[in-house]
Amino acid sequence: MPLSSQALYFHLGLHADDDGVVEAFPIMRQVGAVEDDLRILVAKKFIVVLNEDLVTYITDWNENNRIRADRKVDSIYKEMLIQMVPNIKLKSSKRRADTGKIPGRPLDNQWTAQVRLGKDRLGKDSKDILSGSDEPDRIPYQEIVDYLNEKAGTKYRASGAKTQRLIKARFNDGFNSDDFNKVIDLKAAEWSGTDMAKYLRPETLFGTKFESYLNQEPAELKKKGQSYGGLEF
């Protein structure tokens, strides 16, 4: 297997969550991997691509990683993972014995019980830009979703937790309302009236490929068939 594919696989493992799920697109950009590197990992059944945004599951995750049930944090993509990989056996979370609260990182020094290969997750939660905050949320969710519904003829709700998470993540990346409108305009012009119209949705437009959509020039737009983030598997 090419060294570039090996490097991509290694970094996917470093960034995966407790269920072995990782957003592959930003990792590919980070390590300079190309589409063929991801195809090779899929062909060798090292990973399963779950959706067109290249959300990816590492197939041997459970064999190579161990985590206490009262320390495990379920993946935000858990429902998608179960749907796309029906036979998967996920470790169930349980309430912590020390606090009785839902699973999370330990407050004590019991890190030795959580064995993770090649991955240090200390401080991850405290650095999570999507974690709760006492500051008021001034992101214009309603304005952005209304614009999408107007352009795509859809009826998405701005109050959806997943939609808000995606929009907030892009704002935390430094993008603004005008950027959202541009992405919506570009992809609506490209996909409306094609079999890709069903992907005019928050999950696709505001996901990990947002920046690449934003930098797409109108002159480059072409009619495309269905694919996973442009990758044909």
PDB file of all heavy atoms in Angstrom, residues 18 67-73 96-99 102-114 116 121-125:
ATOM      1  N   ASP A  18     -14.767   8.210  19.672  1.00  0.00           N
ATOM      2  CA  ASP A  18     -14.755   6.978  20.458  1.00  0.00           C
ATOM      3  C   ASP A  18     -15.436   5.803  19.765  1.00  0.00           C
ATOM      4  O   ASP A  18     -15.327   4.663  20.226  1.00  0.00           O
ATOM      5  CB  ASP A  18     -15.423   7.219  21.816  1.00  0.00           C
ATOM      6  CG  ASP A  18     -14.580   8.110  22.710  1.00  0.00           C
ATOM      7  OD1 ASP A  18     -13.395   8.329  22.375  1.00  0.00           O
ATOM      8  OD2 ASP A  18     -15.094   8.590  23.740  1.00  0.00           O
ATOM      9  N   ILE A  67     -11.793   1.328  25.543  1.00  0.00           N
ATOM     10  CA  ILE A  67     -12.211   2.471  26.347  1.00  0.00           C
ATOM     11  C   ILE A  67     -13.278   2.010  27.326  1.00  0.00           C
ATOM     12  O   ILE A  67     -14.144   1.195  26.982  1.00  0.00           O
ATOM     13  CB  ILE A  67     -12.750   3.610  25.451  1.00  0.00           C
ATOM     14  CG1 ILE A  67     -13.133   4.823  26.297  1.00  0.00           C
ATOM     15  CG2 ILE A  67     -13.922   3.158  24.613  1.00  0.00           C
ATOM     16  CD1 ILE A  67     -13.476   6.049  25.474  1.00  0.00           C
ATOM     17  N   ARG A  68     -13.201   2.477  28.548  1.00  0.00           N
ATOM     18  CA  ARG A  68     -14.194   2.111  29.552  1.00  0.00           C
ATOM     19  C   ARG A  68     -15.566   2.643  29.163  1.00  0.00           C
ATOM     20  O   ARG A  68     -15.699   3.751  28.656  1.00  0.00           O
ATOM     21  CB  ARG A  68     -13.785   2.675  30.909  1.00  0.00           C
ATOM     22  CG  ARG A  68     -12.665   1.914  31.569  1.00  0.00           C
ATOM     23  CD  ARG A  68     -12.144   2.613  32.800  1.00  0.00           C
ATOM     24  NE  ARG A  68     -13.186   3.124  33.677  1.00  0.00           N
ATOM     25  CZ  ARG A  68     -12.940   3.631  34.885  1.00  0.00           C
ATOM     26  NH1 ARG A  68     -11.693   3.681  35.338  1.00  0.00           N
ATOM     27  NH2 ARG A  68     -13.921   4.085  35.628  1.00  0.00           N
ATOM     28  N   ALA A  69     -16.593   1.842  29.425  1.00  0.00           N
ATOM     29  CA  ALA A  69     -17.950   2.224  29.039  1.00  0.00           C
ATOM     30  C   ALA A  69     -18.399   3.506  29.726  1.00  0.00           C
ATOM     31  O   ALA A  69     -19.173   4.283  29.164  1.00  0.00           O
ATOM     32  CB  ALA A  69     -18.925   1.093  29.356  1.00  0.00           C
ATOM     33  N   ASP A  70     -17.913   3.746  30.962  1.00  0.00           N
ATOM     34  CA  ASP A  70     -18.329   4.961  31.661  1.00  0.00           C
ATOM     35  C   ASP A  70     -17.450   6.157  31.308  1.00  0.00           C
ATOM     36  O   ASP A  70     -17.565   7.222  31.903  1.00  0.00           O
ATOM     37  CB  ASP A  70     -18.337   4.744  33.176  1.00  0.00           C
ATOM     38  CG  ASP A  70     -16.956   4.420  33.732  1.00  0.00           C
ATOM     39  OD1 ASP A  70     -16.064   4.073  32.925  1.00  0.00           O
ATOM     40  OD2 ASP A  70     -16.764   4.518  34.955  1.00  0.00           O
ATOM     41  N   ARG A  71     -16.556   5.973  30.338  1.00  0.00           N
ATOM     42  CA  ARG A  71     -15.736   7.075  29.836  1.00  0.00           C
ATOM     43  C   ARG A  71     -16.022   7.351  28.361  1.00  0.00           C
ATOM     44  O   ARG A  71     -15.546   8.317  27.799  1.00  0.00           O
ATOM     45  CB  ARG A  71     -14.238   6.757  30.001  1.00  0.00           C
ATOM     46  CG  ARG A  71     -13.792   6.556  31.446  1.00  0.00           C
ATOM     47  CD  ARG A  71     -13.988   7.818  32.261  1.00  0.00           C
ATOM     48  NE  ARG A  71     -13.374   7.722  33.575  1.00  0.00           N
ATOM     49  CZ  ARG A  71     -14.044   7.512  34.687  1.00  0.00           C
ATOM     50  NH1 ARG A  71     -15.353   7.339  34.638  1.00  0.00           N
ATOM     51  NH2 ARG A  71     -13.422   7.468  35.848  1.00  0.00           N
ATOM     52  N   LYS A  72     -16.796   6.481  27.737  1.00  0.00           N
ATOM     53  CA  LYS A  72     -17.039   6.581  26.298  1.00  0.00           C
ATOM     54  C   LYS A  72     -18.041   7.684  25.970  1.00  0.00           C
ATOM     55  O   LYS A  72     -19.083   7.808  26.606  1.00  0.00           O
ATOM     56  CB  LYS A  72     -17.567   5.252  25.761  1.00  0.00           C
ATOM     57  CG  LYS A  72     -17.902   5.272  24.275  1.00  0.00           C
ATOM     58  CD  LYS A  72     -18.386   3.910  23.817  1.00  0.00           C
ATOM     59  CE  LYS A  72     -18.768   3.939  22.341  1.00  0.00           C
ATOM     60  NZ  LYS A  72     -19.994   4.737  22.114  1.00  0.00           N
ATOM     61  N   VAL A  73     -17.709   8.469  24.961  1.00  0.00           N
ATOM     62  CA  VAL A  73     -18.611   9.499  24.441  1.00  0.00           C
ATOM     63  C   VAL A  73     -19.091   9.043  23.067  1.00  0.00           C
ATOM     64  O   VAL A  73     -18.285   8.839  22.159  1.00  0.00           O
ATOM     65  CB  VAL A  73     -17.902  10.860  24.327  1.00  0.00           C
ATOM     66  CG1 VAL A  73     -18.846  11.901  23.738  1.00  0.00           C
ATOM     67  CG2 VAL A  73     -17.393  11.313  25.684  1.00  0.00           C
ATOM     68  N   ARG A  96     -21.423   7.254  34.689  1.00  0.00           N
ATOM     69  CA  ARG A  96     -20.184   7.179  35.444  1.00  0.00           C
ATOM     70  C   ARG A  96     -20.453   6.817  36.899  1.00  0.00           C
ATOM     71  O   ARG A  96     -21.397   7.303  37.519  1.00  0.00           O
ATOM     72  CB  ARG A  96     -19.453   8.514  35.371  1.00  0.00           C
ATOM     73  CG  ARG A  96     -18.885   8.787  34.002  1.00  0.00           C
ATOM     74  CD  ARG A  96     -18.251  10.144  33.920  1.00  0.00           C
ATOM     75  NE  ARG A  96     -17.385  10.433  35.054  1.00  0.00           N
ATOM     76  CZ  ARG A  96     -16.505  11.419  35.054  1.00  0.00           C
ATOM     77  NH1 ARG A  96     -16.390  12.179  33.995  1.00  0.00           N
ATOM     78  NH2 ARG A  96     -15.755  11.643  36.107  1.00  0.00           N
ATOM     79  N   ALA A  97     -19.604   5.962  37.439  1.00  0.00           N
ATOM     80  CA  ALA A  97     -19.777   5.519  38.820  1.00  0.00           C
ATOM     81  C   ALA A  97     -19.472   6.631  39.813  1.00  0.00           C
ATOM     82  O   ALA A  97     -20.041   6.674  40.906  1.00  0.00           O
ATOM     83  CB  ALA A  97     -18.875   4.315  39.092  1.00  0.00           C
ATOM     84  N   ASP A  98     -18.575   7.564  39.440  1.00  0.00           N
ATOM     85  CA  ASP A  98     -18.172   8.589  40.398  1.00  0.00           C
ATOM     86  C   ASP A  98     -19.153   9.747  40.484  1.00  0.00           C
ATOM     87  O   ASP A  98     -19.312  10.371  41.529  1.00  0.00           O
ATOM     88  CB  ASP A  98     -16.767   9.116  40.067  1.00  0.00           C
ATOM     89  CG  ASP A  98     -16.654   9.605  38.631  1.00  0.00           C
ATOM     90  OD1 ASP A  98     -17.611   9.389  37.858  1.00  0.00           O
ATOM     91  OD2 ASP A  98     -15.615  10.200  38.293  1.00  0.00           O
ATOM     92  N   THR A  99     -19.840  10.056  39.372  1.00  0.00           N
ATOM     93  CA  THR A  99     -20.748  11.205  39.371  1.00  0.00           C
ATOM     94  C   THR A  99     -22.189  10.836  39.080  1.00  0.00           C
ATOM     95  O   THR A  99     -23.097  11.615  39.367  1.00  0.00           O
ATOM     96  CB  THR A  99     -20.299  12.243  38.327  1.00  0.00           C
ATOM     97  OG1 THR A  99     -20.430  11.672  37.017  1.00  0.00           O
ATOM     98  CG2 THR A  99     -18.853  12.666  38.564  1.00  0.00           C
ATOM     99  N   ILE A 102     -23.909  11.337  32.657  1.00  0.00           N
ATOM    100  CA  ILE A 102     -23.688  10.692  31.374  1.00  0.00           C
ATOM    101  C   ILE A 102     -22.193  10.598  31.103  1.00  0.00           C
ATOM    102  O   ILE A 102     -21.411  11.372  31.653  1.00  0.00           O
ATOM    103  CB  ILE A 102     -24.382  11.463  30.239  1.00  0.00           C
ATOM    104  CG1 ILE A 102     -23.874  12.912  30.186  1.00  0.00           C
ATOM    105  CG2 ILE A 102     -25.878  11.439  30.415  1.00  0.00           C
ATOM    106  CD1 ILE A 102     -24.432  13.696  29.022  1.00  0.00           C
ATOM    107  N   PRO A 103     -21.775   9.669  30.247  1.00  0.00           N
ATOM    108  CA  PRO A 103     -20.348   9.445  30.023  1.00  0.00           C
ATOM    109  C   PRO A 103     -19.618  10.690  29.545  1.00  0.00           C
ATOM    110  O   PRO A 103     -20.162  11.530  28.849  1.00  0.00           O
ATOM    111  CB  PRO A 103     -20.335   8.360  28.943  1.00  0.00           C
ATOM    112  CG  PRO A 103     -21.629   7.662  29.103  1.00  0.00           C
ATOM    113  CD  PRO A 103     -22.607   8.713  29.515  1.00  0.00           C
ATOM    114  N   GLY A 104     -18.358  10.752  29.923  1.00  0.00           N
ATOM    115  CA  GLY A 104     -17.509  11.863  29.528  1.00  0.00           C
ATOM    116  C   GLY A 104     -16.112  11.603  30.023  1.00  0.00           C
ATOM    117  O   GLY A 104     -15.796  10.509  30.480  1.00  0.00           O
ATOM    118  N   ARG A 105     -15.271  12.572  29.956  1.00  0.00           N
ATOM    119  CA  ARG A 105     -13.905  12.397  30.414  1.00  0.00           C
ATOM    120  C   ARG A 105     -13.846  12.376  31.937  1.00  0.00           C
ATOM    121  O   ARG A 105     -14.579  13.098  32.607  1.00  0.00           O
ATOM    122  CB  ARG A 105     -13.030  13.524  29.879  1.00  0.00           C
ATOM    123  CG  ARG A 105     -13.019  13.546  28.362  1.00  0.00           C
ATOM    124  CD  ARG A 105     -12.404  12.270  27.825  1.00  0.00           C
ATOM    125  NE  ARG A 105     -12.703  12.129  26.413  1.00  0.00           N
ATOM    126  CZ  ARG A 105     -13.019  11.005  25.846  1.00  0.00           C
ATOM    127  NH1 ARG A 105     -13.096   9.914  26.552  1.00  0.00           N
ATOM    128  NH2 ARG A 105     -13.256  10.948  24.566  1.00  0.00           N
ATOM    129  N   PRO A 106     -12.975  11.564  32.529  1.00  0.00           N
ATOM    130  CA  PRO A 106     -12.911  11.442  33.982  1.00  0.00           C
ATOM    131  C   PRO A 106     -12.424  12.708  34.655  1.00  0.00           C
ATOM    132  O   PRO A 106     -11.625  13.458  34.111  1.00  0.00           O
ATOM    133  CB  PRO A 106     -11.907  10.302  34.188  1.00  0.00           C
ATOM    134  CG  PRO A 106     -11.089  10.286  32.951  1.00  0.00           C
ATOM    135  CD  PRO A 106     -12.009  10.697  31.845  1.00  0.00           C
ATOM    136  N   LEU A 107     -12.943  12.920  35.878  1.00  0.00           N
ATOM    137  CA  LEU A 107     -12.515  14.062  36.671  1.00  0.00           C
ATOM    138  C   LEU A 107     -11.339  13.689  37.562  1.00  0.00           C
ATOM    139  O   LEU A 107     -10.729  14.540  38.190  1.00  0.00           O
ATOM    140  CB  LEU A 107     -13.682  14.547  37.545  1.00  0.00           C
ATOM    141  CG  LEU A 107     -14.924  15.004  36.777  1.00  0.00           C
ATOM    142  CD1 LEU A 107     -16.033  15.360  37.757  1.00  0.00           C
ATOM    143  CD2 LEU A 107     -14.595  16.187  35.884  1.00  0.00           C
ATOM    144  N   ASP A 108     -11.037  12.404  37.631  1.00  0.00           N
ATOM    145  CA  ASP A 108      -9.967  11.937  38.506  1.00  0.00           C
ATOM    146  C   ASP A 108      -8.734  11.593  37.684  1.00  0.00           C
ATOM    147  O   ASP A 108      -8.539  12.094  36.593  1.00  0.00           O
ATOM    148  CB  ASP A 108     -10.451  10.722  39.305  1.00  0.00           C
ATOM    149  CG  ASP A 108     -11.091   9.680  38.382  1.00  0.00           C
ATOM    150  OD1 ASP A 108     -10.661   9.618  37.212  1.00  0.00           O
ATOM    151  OD2 ASP A 108     -11.984   8.949  38.828  1.00  0.00           O
ATOM    152  N   ASN A 109      -7.889  10.713  38.215  1.00  0.00           N
ATOM    153  CA  ASN A 109      -6.643  10.368  37.531  1.00  0.00           C
ATOM    154  C   ASN A 109      -6.697   8.977  36.913  1.00  0.00           C
ATOM    155  O   ASN A 109      -5.683   8.309  36.782  1.00  0.00           O
ATOM    156  CB  ASN A 109      -5.473  10.447  38.517  1.00  0.00           C
ATOM    157  CG  ASN A 109      -5.646   9.455  39.666  1.00  0.00           C
ATOM    158  OD1 ASN A 109      -6.697   8.837  39.794  1.00  0.00           O
ATOM    159  ND2 ASN A 109      -4.615   9.327  40.487  1.00  0.00           N
ATOM    160  N   GLN A 110      -7.886   8.522  36.512  1.00  0.00           N
ATOM    161  CA  GLN A 110      -8.051   7.156  36.039  1.00  0.00           C
ATOM    162  C   GLN A 110      -7.836   7.022  34.536  1.00  0.00           C
ATOM    163  O   GLN A 110      -8.500   6.250  33.867  1.00  0.00           O
ATOM    164  CB  GLN A 110      -9.446   6.641  36.406  1.00  0.00           C
ATOM    165  CG  GLN A 110      -9.690   6.615  37.904  1.00  0.00           C
ATOM    166  CD  GLN A 110     -11.068   6.095  38.233  1.00  0.00           C
ATOM    167  OE1 GLN A 110     -11.707   5.463  37.410  1.00  0.00           O
ATOM    168  NE2 GLN A 110     -11.529   6.355  39.426  1.00  0.00           N
ATOM    169  N   TRP A 111      -6.917   7.773  33.994  1.00  0.00           N
ATOM    170  CA  TRP A 111      -6.677   7.710  32.551  1.00  0.00           C
ATOM    171  C   TRP A 111      -6.070   6.381  32.118  1.00  0.00           C
ATOM    172  O   TRP A 111      -6.185   5.998  30.961  1.00  0.00           O
ATOM    173  CB  TRP A 111      -5.742   8.846  32.135  1.00  0.00           C
ATOM    174  CG  TRP A 111      -6.390  10.175  32.226  1.00  0.00           C
ATOM    175  CD1 TRP A 111      -6.290  11.070  33.241  1.00  0.00           C
ATOM    176  CD2 TRP A 111      -7.277  10.762  31.277  1.00  0.00           C
ATOM    177  NE1 TRP A 111      -7.048  12.180  32.983  1.00  0.00           N
ATOM    178  CE2 TRP A 111      -7.661  12.015  31.782  1.00  0.00           C
ATOM    179  CE3 TRP A 111      -7.785  10.352  30.043  1.00  0.00           C
ATOM    180  CZ2 TRP A 111      -8.520  12.863  31.103  1.00  0.00           C
ATOM    181  CZ3 TRP A 111      -8.638  11.203  29.370  1.00  0.00           C
ATOM    182  CH2 TRP A 111      -9.003  12.433  29.897  1.00  0.00           C
ATOM    183  N   THR A 112      -5.414   5.666  33.029  1.00  0.00           N
ATOM    184  CA  THR A 112      -4.750   4.428  32.636  1.00  0.00           C
ATOM    185  C   THR A 112      -5.732   3.366  32.189  1.00  0.00           C
ATOM    186  O   THR A 112      -5.369   2.441  31.472  1.00  0.00           O
ATOM    187  CB  THR A 112      -3.929   3.877  33.806  1.00  0.00           C
ATOM    188  OG1 THR A 112      -4.780   3.751  34.959  1.00  0.00           O
ATOM    189  CG2 THR A 112      -2.786   4.816  34.133  1.00  0.00           C
ATOM    190  N   ALA A 113      -6.987   3.484  32.612  1.00  0.00           N
ATOM    191  CA  ALA A 113      -7.979   2.488  32.216  1.00  0.00           C
ATOM    192  C   ALA A 113      -8.465   2.706  30.794  1.00  0.00           C
ATOM    193  O   ALA A 113      -9.136   1.865  30.226  1.00  0.00           O
ATOM    194  CB  ALA A 113      -9.172   2.522  33.170  1.00  0.00           C
ATOM    195  N   GLN A 114      -8.125   3.840  30.213  1.00  0.00           N
ATOM    196  CA  GLN A 114      -8.582   4.154  28.867  1.00  0.00           C
ATOM    197  C   GLN A 114      -7.401   4.048  27.916  1.00  0.00           C
ATOM    198  O   GLN A 114      -6.616   4.963  27.751  1.00  0.00           O
ATOM    199  CB  GLN A 114      -9.172   5.564  28.826  1.00  0.00           C
ATOM    200  CG  GLN A 114      -9.688   5.950  27.446  1.00  0.00           C
ATOM    201  CD  GLN A 114     -10.345   7.294  27.468  1.00  0.00           C
ATOM    202  OE1 GLN A 114     -10.982   7.658  28.434  1.00  0.00           O
ATOM    203  NE2 GLN A 114     -10.192   8.047  26.402  1.00  0.00           N
ATOM    204  N   ARG A 116      -5.835   3.974  24.398  1.00  0.00           N
ATOM    205  CA  ARG A 116      -6.091   4.388  23.032  1.00  0.00           C
ATOM    206  C   ARG A 116      -4.780   4.335  22.271  1.00  0.00           C
ATOM    207  O   ARG A 116      -3.791   4.909  22.700  1.00  0.00           O
ATOM    208  CB  ARG A 116      -6.654   5.814  22.984  1.00  0.00           C
ATOM    209  CG  ARG A 116      -7.873   6.020  23.856  1.00  0.00           C
ATOM    210  CD  ARG A 116      -9.015   5.115  23.411  1.00  0.00           C
ATOM    211  NE  ARG A 116      -9.434   5.441  22.073  1.00  0.00           N
ATOM    212  CZ  ARG A 116     -10.315   6.412  21.793  1.00  0.00           C
ATOM    213  NH1 ARG A 116     -10.848   7.117  22.751  1.00  0.00           N
ATOM    214  NH2 ARG A 116     -10.661   6.656  20.546  1.00  0.00           N
ATOM    215  N   ARG A 121      -6.168  12.151  23.966  1.00  0.00           N
ATOM    216  CA  ARG A 121      -7.372  12.962  23.948  1.00  0.00           C
ATOM    217  C   ARG A 121      -7.479  13.872  25.172  1.00  0.00           C
ATOM    218  O   ARG A 121      -8.533  14.433  25.444  1.00  0.00           O
ATOM    219  CB  ARG A 121      -8.607  12.059  23.876  1.00  0.00           C
ATOM    220  CG  ARG A 121      -8.700  11.279  22.576  1.00  0.00           C
ATOM    221  CD  ARG A 121      -9.880  10.349  22.583  1.00  0.00           C
ATOM    222  NE  ARG A 121     -11.133  11.061  22.696  1.00  0.00           N
ATOM    223  CZ  ARG A 121     -11.892  11.403  21.672  1.00  0.00           C
ATOM    224  NH1 ARG A 121     -11.510  11.132  20.461  1.00  0.00           N
ATOM    225  NH2 ARG A 121     -13.029  12.027  21.856  1.00  0.00           N
ATOM    226  N   LEU A 122      -6.391  14.005  25.940  1.00  0.00           N
ATOM    227  CA  LEU A 122      -6.436  14.875  27.110  1.00  0.00           C
ATOM    228  C   LEU A 122      -6.803  16.293  26.705  1.00  0.00           C
ATOM    229  O   LEU A 122      -6.223  16.868  25.799  1.00  0.00           O
ATOM    230  CB  LEU A 122      -5.067  14.897  27.799  1.00  0.00           C
ATOM    231  CG  LEU A 122      -4.729  13.692  28.659  1.00  0.00           C
ATOM    232  CD1 LEU A 122      -3.280  13.748  29.077  1.00  0.00           C
ATOM    233  CD2 LEU A 122      -5.622  13.640  29.880  1.00  0.00           C
ATOM    234  N   GLY A 123      -7.784  16.853  27.395  1.00  0.00           N
ATOM    235  CA  GLY A 123      -8.155  18.239  27.152  1.00  0.00           C
ATOM    236  C   GLY A 123      -9.034  18.449  25.949  1.00  0.00           C
ATOM    237  O   GLY A 123      -9.368  19.567  25.614  1.00  0.00           O
ATOM    238  N   LYS A 124      -9.439  17.373  25.268  1.00  0.00           N
ATOM    239  CA  LYS A 124     -10.227  17.534  24.048  1.00  0.00           C
ATOM    240  C   LYS A 124     -11.528  18.267  24.317  1.00  0.00           C
ATOM    241  O   LYS A 124     -11.897  19.186  23.601  1.00  0.00           O
ATOM    242  CB  LYS A 124     -10.531  16.170  23.430  1.00  0.00           C
ATOM    243  CG  LYS A 124     -11.433  16.238  22.202  1.00  0.00           C
ATOM    244  CD  LYS A 124     -11.656  14.847  21.637  1.00  0.00           C
ATOM    245  CE  LYS A 124     -12.524  14.913  20.382  1.00  0.00           C
ATOM    246  NZ  LYS A 124     -13.868  15.397  20.646  1.00  0.00           N
ATOM    247  N   ASP A 125     -12.228  17.843  25.363  1.00  0.00           N
ATOM    248  CA  ASP A 125     -13.527  18.445  25.623  1.00  0.00           C
ATOM    249  C   ASP A 125     -13.413  19.915  25.986  1.00  0.00           C
ATOM    250  O   ASP A 125     -14.242  20.728  25.602  1.00  0.00           O
ATOM    251  CB  ASP A 125     -14.244  17.688  26.750  1.00  0.00           C
ATOM    252  CG  ASP A 125     -14.695  16.312  26.294  1.00  0.00           C
ATOM    253  OD1 ASP A 125     -14.848  16.126  25.078  1.00  0.00           O
ATOM    254  OD2 ASP A 125     -14.871  15.437  27.144  1.00  0.00           O
TER     255      ASP A 125
END
